[in-house]
Amino acid sequence: MFAQLRKFINTLAEQPESDQAPDFTTALAALMVEIMRADGEVHVDECHMIARLLTQHSGISTQASELIRDQAIEMVDEAIDLHRFVRVVNAHTGELERIEVIELLWLVAFADGRLDPHEEHMVRKVAGLLYVAHADFISAKLTARQQLKLTD
């Protein structure tokens, strides 16, 4: 299911980086960081999940994914809003890849074993900014829960 997203990440990694906009992987990491921080707490499980997802879906090393995650944390600290990151993701993905991005965000939200209402709100907000339909938003949520084998 993540094959198209992986393909996009790999092709975008080969492109030169703009001074104003983050590269795709960093923008994706920044959105994940926003979800991680939405509940006002940073759990180590969520940090590890971000690095793991970046490694799995971009084909980079664990060390590189941790570095990108840490850079994304700094960028999110300085950002006024999400639009800088959302714009990059929207520009480089199609409908199916954006649904996969929402699934990745759900995986981060569920990484600590529980879903905080603030995390859910933030995933919903990003889904709207990525033009992901509500049915796909819910489907991505259910898929992420199933992947992590979470129960109600």
Side-chain angles (χ1 to χ4, degrees):
M1 175 167 184
F2 294 109
Q4 289 180 329
L5 184 58
R6 183 177 291 122
K7 187 169 109 179
F8 270 114
I9 291 172
N10 289 335
T11 59
L12 294 173
E14 297 169 3
Q15 296 178 358
E17 196 174 324
S18 169
D19 289 336
Q20 295 182 351
D23 63 82
F24 180 83
T25 305
T26 305
L28 177 61
L31 293 177
M32 291 185 207
V33 167
E34 286 285 353
I35 301 307
M36 174 181 72
R37 290 182 165 181
D39 62 359
E41 301 174 14
V42 175
H43 295 275
V44 71
D45 294 333
E46 293 168 329
C47 282
H48 291 312
M49 178 64 78
I50 292 171
R52 190 176 104 214
L53 293 172
L54 290 174
T55 299
Q56 288 175 350
H57 300 290
S58 65
I60 59 177
S61 69
T62 302
Q63 184 179 11
S65 67
E66 291 171 353
L67 179 64
I68 290 171
R69 179 200 59 213
D70 294 344
Q71 289 173 339
I73 289 171
E74 291 176 18
M75 291 178 80
V76 168
D77 285 342
E78 297 170 2
I80 296 171
D81 58 27
L82 299 174
H83 294 284
R84 177 179 180 199
F85 312 118
V86 169
R87 191 173 28 251
V88 171
V89 173
N90 272 333
H92 294 96
T93 57
E95 181 181 357
L96 294 176
E97 292 84 19
R98 288 193 296 271
I99 294 167
E100 291 174 3
V101 167
I102 296 303
E103 188 174 319
L104 296 177
L105 299 181
W106 280 122
L107 289 169
V108 172
F110 288 129
D112 61 358
R114 65 179 189 81
L115 179 62
D116 184 88
H118 294 96
E119 292 170 326
E120 183 166 14
H121 171 76
M122 187 60 70
V123 176
R124 184 180 307 272
K125 179 178 179 178
V126 173
L129 294 170
L130 293 178
Y131 308 108
V132 172
H134 184 71
D136 294 325
F137 164 82
I138 296 299
S139 178
K141 179 180 182 179
L142 296 174
T143 302
R145 287 181 66 85
Q146 185 178 24
Q147 283 183 26
L148 296 175
K149 297 177 181 22
L150 297 175
T151 59
D152 287 331

